[in-house]
Amino acid sequence: MADTAAPAGIPLRDSIPPHNIDAEVATIGALLLDPEALSTVLRYLRADDFYRAAHRKVYQSILALFDRNEAIDLITLSDELNRIGELDACGGMARISQLTSAVPTSANVEYYARIVQALSMRRELQRIAASIIADSFDDSREVRYIIEEAERRIFEITDRQQTGSFRLAREIINQTVDAIERLYHSSGSYTGIPSGFGDLDNLTSGFQNSEFVVIGARPSVGKTALALTMAAHIAVQQRKPVGFFTLEMSAVALMQRLLAAEARLDSNRIRSGLLRPSDFHKITDAAGRLYDAPLFIEDSPNLKLLDLRAQARRMKSNHSVEIVFIDYLTLITSENQDLPRHEQIAEISRSLKALARELDVPVLALSQVRRETEGKLPNLADLRESGSIEQDADVVMFLHRERGTDENLNERETDLIVAKQRNGPVGKINLTFFPEYTTFEAHSSRT
């Protein structure tokens, strides 16, 4: 049966959902002819993707046999269906035997599976559309909740289209070896996005996709300056699209900092307008470099968690951002203001980790640390307001600088401490902070 679509003007509830029984039968028949084809089909299909209930049960039984490492053929499949009491519901042995006659070869199994998957997606889109329509008539639900939920469900379908599911090792090994060879011949390129600080990138191999990274520090140590230094390097030098959420300052104030750092001009002179004529040439050159940079800034104050997630999805979808910065985590407004503050932060932390995995980009968030860290090296327990940040983060770094010990107030040695790295070593990086330019540079030596 070919797929069907709702004719114009007919409500969804009165139409037959899109499906193709012939493609479903051909997919299952191909699996019975060649069980090895399951490794291909698993990339595309779950049991729920089959429209006919009997086909869902047959596919589930095939997966059960595969999971137990048992042979997959007409006899074992019929026995499995009989064992779970579903053989008669699937048409009996006679109907199961007919499945292999519907397809002469398994060569086109991927084509059949993609047809089944595409029609399953269409049915899911219809369900989402019907849900959105129903929710839009529910005055008790806020519009932004409806929009966020719709975006989330649509992005889940987009992820399905990337042919997720697991892959067998033999399908991955050649690709992996090729990637290792490319790294070898490229003289130490990083697997992630370089921060611009060589010692840090040697430790982390760059910021990795799907990782949630937290940078903690006390006020005025330079959290925002470090994030901007990294973001500018990635967007200006590497030309990679960057999303930057600033909840503490306006986009104009942020851009003034970026101009000061890029032009190597005193930020106070830029803010006050006390500039020399020669400074404008530096500002113009810096502005030109920043003008062409793929840097996307969101400066909404009191940004709610749902809104941040929605904006990040749009940045990824519309501009292909490769990393997201958030300045800073504890300023994000939770949706549930009735929860204790530490539970709100836990919710935000989990959500940002989930966002990194959903968008498959690094999400780097700044965080305050406890006041008690003044005068001592910070540790994981010092992350402010919630231990869940420590638990959720893949990488935790701290900026630390001894107060009042700098001989040159224009150059301040600062430690960047990698206190946690789920997939790598920890260590300490020496940086130099230039407060007049609001920027960091790598120190000449490493401890």
Side-chain angles (χ1 to χ4, degrees), residues 223-225 227-228 244-249 254 257 325-329 331 364-367:
K223 295 188 301 296
T224 301
L228 284 175
F244 202 105
F245 290 83
T246 170
L247 288 78
E248 193 173 30
M249 64 178 65
L254 200 74
R257 284 194 173 201
F325 289 82
I326 301 170
D327 182 18
Y328 54 89
L329 185 151
L331 289 181
L364 192 151
L366 309 184
S367 177

Side-chain angles (χ1 to χ4, degrees), residues 237-284:
Q237 303 299 325
Q238 301 179 45
R239 310 297 299 169
K240 296 180 183 293
V242 174
F244 202 105
F245 290 83
T246 170
L247 288 78
E248 193 173 30
M249 64 178 65
S250 69
V252 172
L254 200 74
M255 190 56 65
Q256 287 179 344
R257 284 194 173 201
L258 284 168
L259 277 171
E262 193 71 20
R264 305 293 289 184
L265 285 173
D266 191 318
S267 59
N268 289 324
R269 298 217 326 258
I270 291 179
R271 284 195 300 270
S272 64
L274 300 175
L275 297 167
R276 295 186 290 267
S278 59
D279 293 336
F280 284 95
H281 178 69
K282 294 181 179 178
I283 291 175
T284 301

Side-chain angles (χ1 to χ4, degrees), residues 267-384:
S267 59
N268 289 324
R269 298 217 326 258
I270 291 179
R271 284 195 300 270
S272 64
L274 300 175
L275 297 167
R276 295 186 290 267
S278 59
D279 293 336
F280 284 95
H281 178 69
K282 294 181 179 178
I283 291 175
T284 301
D285 287 346
R289 292 190 293 273
L290 289 169
Y291 182 87
D292 293 328
L295 177 60
F296 304 92
I297 299 172
E298 166 62 63
D299 68 344
S300 299
N302 302 316
L303 189 65
K304 289 186 178 294
L305 180 59
L306 284 178
D307 297 330
L308 185 149
R309 289 173 60 91
Q311 286 284 55
R313 288 191 190 106
R314 294 188 190 104
M315 287 181 179
K316 172 70 173 180
S317 177
N318 298 336
H319 304 290
S320 300
V321 297
E322 297 186 28
I323 187 170
V324 172
F325 289 82
I326 301 170
D327 182 18
Y328 54 89
L329 185 151
T330 47
L331 289 181
I332 300 171
T333 303
S334 172
E335 303 300 328
N336 193 344
Q337 295 293 295
D338 295 329
L339 290 175
R341 183 57 180 165
H342 72 276
E343 292 186 20
Q344 294 181 33
I345 297 298
E347 177 192 11
I348 292 167
S349 175
R350 286 193 300 269
S351 184
L352 293 181
K353 171 59 180 173
L355 182 67
R357 296 196 60 174
E358 175 187 331
L359 301 185
D360 194 29
V361 302
V363 171
L364 192 151
L366 309 184
S367 177
Q368 295 279 23
V369 297
R370 301 179 194 278
R371 187 182 301 276
E372 291 77 13
T373 60
E374 286 286 359
K376 71 179 185 70
L377 289 174
N379 57 53
L380 293 172
D382 294 319
L383 286 170
R384 191 171 177 181

Side-chain angles (χ1 to χ4, degrees), residues 76-260:
T76 58
L77 176 59
S78 298
D79 184 66
E80 174 67 16
L81 287 168
N82 187 56
R83 186 185 69 81
I84 62 176
E86 297 288 357
L87 182 59
D88 290 340
C90 294
M93 184 64 179
R95 176 57 184 157
I96 300 300
S97 301
Q98 293 174 0
L99 291 172
T100 55
S101 63
V103 55
T105 174
S106 65
N108 297 322
V109 67
E110 183 173 0
Y111 176 72
Y112 305 143
R114 291 176 68 177
I115 292 175
V116 175
Q117 183 199 49
L119 294 173
S120 174
M121 288 180 173
R122 288 181 181 273
R123 294 195 299 274
E124 181 61 22
L125 284 171
Q126 288 187 359
R127 285 191 287 269
I128 293 171
S131 176
I132 293 171
I133 292 171
D135 288 342
S136 68
F137 283 99
D138 185 353
D139 293 337
S140 67
R141 301 204 65 192
E142 291 189 29
V143 171
R144 58 192 183 83
Y145 278 96
I146 299 172
I147 294 173
E148 203 277 340
E149 178 66 12
E151 285 185 339
R152 182 188 65 79
R153 293 179 66 182
I154 290 173
F155 267 86
E156 285 180 355
I157 295 178
T158 303
D159 288 342
R160 288 279 328 273
Q161 209 168 18
Q162 304 307 315
T163 66
S165 195
F166 66 77
R167 297 162 63 192
L168 294 178
R170 64 170 173 262
E171 299 176 299
I172 305 171
I173 188 63
N174 290 337
Q175 178 183 348
T176 304
V177 171
D178 289 343
I180 293 172
E181 288 181 352
R182 286 196 300 271
L183 289 174
Y184 172 77
H185 291 298
S186 63
S187 302
S189 295
Y190 303 110
T191 57
I193 298 176
S195 66
F197 300 106
D199 286 342
L200 176 61
D201 294 328
N202 289 337
L203 202 63
T204 63
S205 290
F207 296 124
Q208 305 296 315
N209 287 345
S210 300
E211 286 196 342
F212 177 37
V213 182
V214 174
I215 299 179
R218 291 292 299 149
S220 302
V221 176
K223 295 188 301 296
T224 301
L226 180 64
L228 284 175
T229 302
M230 292 175 173
H233 174 80
I234 295 167
V236 177
Q237 303 299 325
Q238 301 179 45
R239 310 297 299 169
K240 296 180 183 293
V242 174
F244 202 105
F245 290 83
T246 170
L247 288 78
E248 193 173 30
M249 64 178 65
S250 69
V252 172
L254 200 74
M255 190 56 65
Q256 287 179 344
R257 284 194 173 201
L258 284 168
L259 277 171

Side-chain angles (χ1 to χ4, degrees), residues 28-75:
I28 295 172
L31 292 178
L32 292 174
L33 287 175
D34 179 15
E36 292 294 322
L38 186 58
S39 61
T40 298
V41 174
L42 278 170
R43 298 184 195 173
Y44 299 96
L45 297 181
R46 305 169 303 193
D48 290 343
D49 289 323
F50 289 86
Y51 176 75
R52 181 166 286 178
H55 295 161
R56 290 196 295 270
K57 294 170 184 175
V58 169
Y59 188 69
Q60 284 174 332
S61 295
I62 290 174
L63 294 181
L65 292 169
F66 174 79
D67 188 53
R68 297 199 301 267
N69 199 29
E70 296 180 11
I72 300 173
D73 55 37
L74 288 173
I75 303 300

